[in-house]
């Protein structure tokens, strides 16, 4: 059975006390994640080690929000994926649109970062997505294809070592999620494009959606056939809401699918 994924991107929020309260809150509402749907939280870099401790033995995984495209060297201010791994991370978000927007990251860098993450033993959560202007001018597929090809040109296929996230920029932090129909159409487009390279890989690749997901809209988005979970921003900072989204995700798994 193909696993589902719920990944919380905490962005530049949190401190020692609030991180602890958030994990304790999640655990109080959800003593144990269901093995059919993995739960991942991505704190800011300085808190990775704290999260390693807080999540030990809980079944909750930890990821970073970014990683260098190098494993080590004279790259001031950068964080190696090997360091993330050593501090307890198993995942790293790559190419988030906020990094494209504010840090000038481009498609090529995203590809190199994904490769370095895989080399270090992390699972990259590779983000793609169009802006409102790109969608309005009918260029969504052109943009998604370009971003996808840049990332996968470097890594080709790496079975079970990659998660793809569709995050349309216009839906991030706006409170207006993409409609389930749009999300399904774009996930299908992405999966078909990957199938050109490797059909089996495309069928197994988890493609998750991010952008204003909350408990109230989660089930309609997660029920779409090509949606394998969610990448959650602001709603991941509230334990009750995050667990409620997780429970909605579980509801989309057919009852006859064994763990
Ligand atoms: P929001 O859920 O706050 O819209 O953020 C989504 C996101 O950027 C997750 O990476």
């Amino acid at each position: 059975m193909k696993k589902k994924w719920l990944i919380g991107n905490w962005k530049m929020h949190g401190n020692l006390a609030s991180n602890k309260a958030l994990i304790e809150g999640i655990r109080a509402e959800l003593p144990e994640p269901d093995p059919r749907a993995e739960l991942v939280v991505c704190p800011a870099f300085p808190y990775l080690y704290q999260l390693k401790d807080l999540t030990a033995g809980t079944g909750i995984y930890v990821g970073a929000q970014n990683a260098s495209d190098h494993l080590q060297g004279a790259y001031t201010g950068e964080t190696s994926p090997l360091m993330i791994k050593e501090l307890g991370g198993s995942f790293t978000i790559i190419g988030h649109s906020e990094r494209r927007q504010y840090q000038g990251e481009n498609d090529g860098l995203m590809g190199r970062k994904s490769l370095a993450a895989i080399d270090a033993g992390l699972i990259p959560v590779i983000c793609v997505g169009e802006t409102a202007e790109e969608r309005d001018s009918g260029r969504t597929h052109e943009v998604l294809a370009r971003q996808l090809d840049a990332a996968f040109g470097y890594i080709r296929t790496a079975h079970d070592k990659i998660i793809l996230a569709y995050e349309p920029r216009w839906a991030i932090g706006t409170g207006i999620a993409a409609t389930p129909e749009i999300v399904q159409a774009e996930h299908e487009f992405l999966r078909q494009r990957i199938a050109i390279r490797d059909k089996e890989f495309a069928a197994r690749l988890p493609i998750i959606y991010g952008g204003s997901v909350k408990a109230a809209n989660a089930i309609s988005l997660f029920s779409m056939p090509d949606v394998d979970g969610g990448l959650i921003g602001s709603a991941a900072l509230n334990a009750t809401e995050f667990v409620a989204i997780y429970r909605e995700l579980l509801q989309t798994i057919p009852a006859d699918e064994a763990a």
Side-chain angles (χ1 to χ4, degrees), residues 38-143:
E38 302 288 9
L39 203 56
V40 184
V41 293
C42 302
F45 278 137
Y47 301 113
L48 277 173
Y49 201 60
Q50 181 202 18
L51 266 291
K52 179 188 181 174
D53 250 19
L54 286 173
T55 57
T58 65
I60 301 172
Y61 292 95
V62 179
Q65 299 171 16
N66 178 35
S68 173
D69 57 328
H70 298 281
L71 296 183
Q72 76 167 45
Y75 302 102
T76 302
E78 287 293 281
T79 303
S80 162
L82 288 172
M83 296 169 183
I84 295 167
K85 179 97 180 154
E86 187 173 29
L87 293 183
S90 310
F91 299 81
T92 182
I93 297 170
I94 297 287
H96 192 280
S97 70
E98 284 151 15
R99 297 206 58 82
R100 292 171 181 274
Q101 192 174 356
Y102 304 122
Q103 265 72 36
E105 292 198 3
N106 58 29
D107 296 337
L109 186 58
M110 181 169 89
R112 294 196 302 279
K113 285 185 171 196
S114 301
L115 182 62
I118 291 170
D119 283 350
L122 298 178
I123 295 186
V125 180
I126 302 173
C127 299
V128 296
E130 79 286 1
T131 63
E133 189 260 318
E134 287 162 344
R135 170 160 289 273
D136 292 345
S137 57
R139 290 164 50 223
T140 298
H141 285 181
E142 175 200 321
V143 170

Side-chain angles (χ1 to χ4, degrees), residues 187-251:
H187 283 219
E188 198 179 330
F189 171 77
L190 292 165
R191 206 181 290 286
Q192 281 172 357
R193 184 144 188 115
I194 292 166
I196 299 170
R197 289 168 186 269
D198 185 334
K199 258 201 183 123
E200 196 206 330
F201 171 69
R204 277 164 53 182
L205 177 70
I207 307 182
I208 63 177
Y209 166 76
S212 299
V213 177
K214 26 190 187 283
N217 62 17
I219 202 149
S220 61
L221 293 161
F222 296 160
S223 308
M224 290 287 142
D226 279 299
V227 179
D228 301 307
L231 181 52
I232 317 300
S234 58
L237 297 172
N238 178 308
T240 305
E241 183 74 6
F242 192 53
V243 172
I245 294 172
Y246 182 76
R247 293 199 195 285
E248 298 293 312
L249 178 61
L250 290 180
Q251 279 198 48

